[in-house]
Amino acid sequence: MTRFEIINVDALEILDSRGRPTLSVHIGLADGSTGWAGVPSGASTGSREAVELRDHEDDSRYGGAGVLKAVGSVEGEIARLLRRCGWTSLAEVDEALVELDGTDDKSRLGANAIVGVSMALARALAAREGGLLYEYLVSEQVAPRLPVPHFNVLNGGVHAANPLDFQEFMIAPMCATSMSEAVQIGAEVYAALRRRLAAEGQTTTLGDEGGFAPQLTDPEEALALLVTATENAGYTPGLRGVAIALDPAASEFREPDGSYRVGRARLSTSELIKRYAVMIEDYPIWSIEDGLAEDDEDGWHSLTGRLGDRIQLVGDDNFVTNPKIIKSAIERGIGNAALIKLNQIGTVTETLQAIALCRDGGYAQMISHRSGETHDDFIADLAVAAGCGQIKSGAPARGERVAKYNRLLEIAAHDPHLPFGLPGVISRRHAF
């Protein structure tokens, strides 16, 4: 394997899509190849995620949310390590970064600093090889595939200033036969939803991820709106048409007594599972992410037993893209899919390990953005390389969200022979 040398490592404090500070990282190799990354940041986070480093002691800047310490990590200890010797692979560098940090959650140097370096280096190495990023990331065990986009068109929870407790209501154009058709369907349903909301006198202001944030209380109201908007756009709601995916983010509305607050109701775990079962009967829902709180393990067992053979059950806050946690969940039969977020674990290599572990364990994967994003489109290439067939990056609106979908269109145009859609194993499991 040809060795490479890293000669430049720079970072800059920039703003994410919520107006909060994050990092931009730039890497330069001795052969002239370069790479960059814009680091995402989440609002709804799992308790076991890798930890961002922020300037909490300095309230005079951004209310203590600045990332100058993380910039210092990149340009200080990390840069000294990376410039010290030649390297053979991204995996070797990522392992060295984890060892340099020395904590279980990457809190000393900052997961935001480490993941930015890892992503930027992956781009530089892809440029060094003269190919696209997804071509560099793909493994020999995987056939690359263009994913079905899951557009978050209605926002609630911590992503919007409305009374809707469920966080994300997504549409998934299962009927599409190409990337361009999928993007077209998403944009047309989104436009029809805007018109419908306006006709009903609802606000069409946007939440953090570009979805509308109407003054709704019950999730069933939102689901009915999606069905109507899909029909108004000229498409068929359904598992073979335009399906619905939910991210309730249940950890955010769990009460101290263990119950769940959904609109005007207080529900036990079993009552919430029963409500999901009714929703699935009444609406074309194919996937539920974080349907229960991350610490409700008994509930997750019940949820999986009740609905796991009917729909996709995605672990996010409870899995946090951590290979060790995902391995344990697979062994215990919790959920049947994992959300994949680069900054939850902190390096590209560990992210790819989490994907491989899911694949080997029969768990589906959905590549995901964060609520705080930049125009970095890394996850689009990652989704294609993973061959998982699923990505979510918000609504078909706002530049930082659309950047990911546009990148997928570019990849599709670059390689028109790439397959599109869910892998056969997922389609067969849910009888699509």
Side-chain angles (χ1 to χ4, degrees):
M1 186 175 295
T2 305
R3 299 181 70 84
F4 60 89
E5 292 185 10
I6 300 171
I7 59 173
N8 292 318
V9 184
D10 301 300
L12 179 68
E13 183 183 64
I14 62 172
L15 295 181
D16 71 16
S17 57
R18 292 175 295 162
R20 300 180 77 239
T22 189
L23 287 85
S24 175
V25 178
H26 293 258
I27 296 280
L29 306 184
D31 69 350
S33 302
T34 62
W36 78 280
V39 178
S41 177
S44 175
T45 57
S47 63
R48 294 180 289 181
E49 286 193 24
V51 176
E52 296 176 328
L53 183 61
R54 291 190 180 271
D55 309 333
H56 294 300
E57 296 82 3
D58 186 2
D59 292 337
S60 66
R61 298 185 69 256
Y62 297 110
V67 293
L68 294 182
K69 287 184 178 179
V71 170
S73 292
V74 173
E75 297 187 335
E77 286 188 64
I78 291 175
R80 288 192 292 272
L81 170 72
L82 298 189
R83 291 196 296 254
R84 189 178 304 163
C85 59
W87 303 90
T88 60
S89 67
L90 175 64
E92 182 187 21
V93 173
D94 283 347
E95 183 178 357
L97 290 171
V98 172
E99 183 178 348
L100 178 67
D101 176 81
T103 66
D104 291 335
D105 56 9
K106 300 178 177 67
S107 57
R108 191 180 74 82
L109 296 174
N112 44 354
I114 293 171
V115 77
V117 170
S118 183
M119 293 165 64
L121 179 58
R123 274 207 176 93
L125 294 174
R128 179 172 177 261
E129 293 189 0
L132 299 187
L133 178 58
Y134 88 84
E135 295 169 326
Y136 173 77
L137 294 174
V138 74
S139 74
E140 295 180 357
Q141 292 76 35
V142 180
R145 171 179 292 270
L146 290 159
V148 175
H150 287 56
F151 301 98
N152 180 10
V153 294
L154 284 174
N155 291 184
V158 299
H159 290 171
N162 62 7
L164 195 58
D165 292 304
F166 281 21
Q167 186 167 277
E168 298 180 19
F169 295 80
M170 294 169 277
I171 54 168
M174 299 296 191
C175 57
T177 59
S178 67
M179 197 72 235
S180 60
E181 185 182 9
V183 171
Q184 175 187 336
I185 292 171
E188 290 177 351
V189 174
Y190 183 76
L193 179 59
R194 180 195 295 273
R195 292 191 295 270
R196 184 68 186 183
L197 288 169
E200 294 185 2
Q202 283 279 2
T203 178
T204 55
T205 56
L206 304 184
D208 283 348
E209 297 182 354
F212 301 113
Q215 294 299 304
L216 304 177
T217 300
D218 295 320
E220 290 83 358
E221 295 178 90
L223 292 168
L225 269 172
L226 293 189
V227 169
T228 300
T230 298
E231 293 172 338
N232 289 347
Y235 299 103
T236 302
L239 301 184
R240 295 181 182 276
V242 178
I244 295 173
L246 300 178
D247 174 13
S251 292
E252 301 291 344
F253 54 83
R254 197 181 194 201
E255 298 294 322
D257 64 0
S259 66
Y260 292 90
R261 181 197 68 254
V262 181
R264 304 170 186 86
R266 292 292 186 274
L267 306 174
S268 67
T269 295
S270 61
E271 288 171 334
L272 182 54
I273 293 172
K274 182 178 180 180
R275 190 161 174 178
Y276 287 140
V278 173
M279 288 181 189
I280 291 167
E281 291 295 331
D282 292 344
Y283 301 98
I285 297 168
W286 97 274
S287 178
I288 298 178
E289 172 194 331
D290 280 353
L292 295 173
E294 63 175 287
D295 60 351
D296 192 355
E297 184 167 334
D298 290 341
W300 270 95
H301 278 289
S302 298
L303 178 66
T304 305
R306 177 80 181 269
L307 301 178
D309 61 346
R310 299 178 60 192
I311 64 169
Q312 178 172 263
L313 296 172
V314 185
D316 175 22
D317 287 348
N318 53 344
F319 290 0
V320 294
T321 317
N322 187 307
K324 292 180 181 178
I325 296 173
I326 292 173
K327 182 176 185 294
S328 176
I330 292 173
E331 291 170 350
R332 289 175 291 143
I334 294 176
N336 56 29
L339 203 69
I340 302 296
K341 297 173 176 174
L342 285 154
N343 75 321
Q344 277 186 328
I345 187 62
T347 66
V348 174
T349 298
E350 289 168 298
T351 302
L352 294 173
Q353 290 170 350
I355 292 170
L357 190 61
C358 288
R359 185 174 61 248
D360 294 343
Y363 273 43
Q365 316 103 54
M366 182 185 289
I367 308 301
S368 175
H369 64 156
R370 300 308 299 260
S371 56
E373 272 290 342
T374 73
H375 64 288
D376 190 326
D377 54 18
F378 192 106
I379 63 168
D381 285 76
L382 177 63
V384 175
C388 60
Q390 306 178 61
I391 188 173
K392 68 171 190 172
S393 184
R398 296 181 49 151
E400 78 281 357
R401 313 295 156 182
V402 172
K404 284 68 165 172
Y405 300 129
N406 286 345
R407 174 59 178 167
L408 290 169
L409 292 172
E410 291 174 353
I411 294 172
H414 171 79
D415 188 350
H417 300 296
L418 279 173
F420 166 82
L422 295 175
V425 62
I426 299 178
S427 298
R428 289 192 297 273
R429 180 188 301 161
H430 299 290
F432 290 146

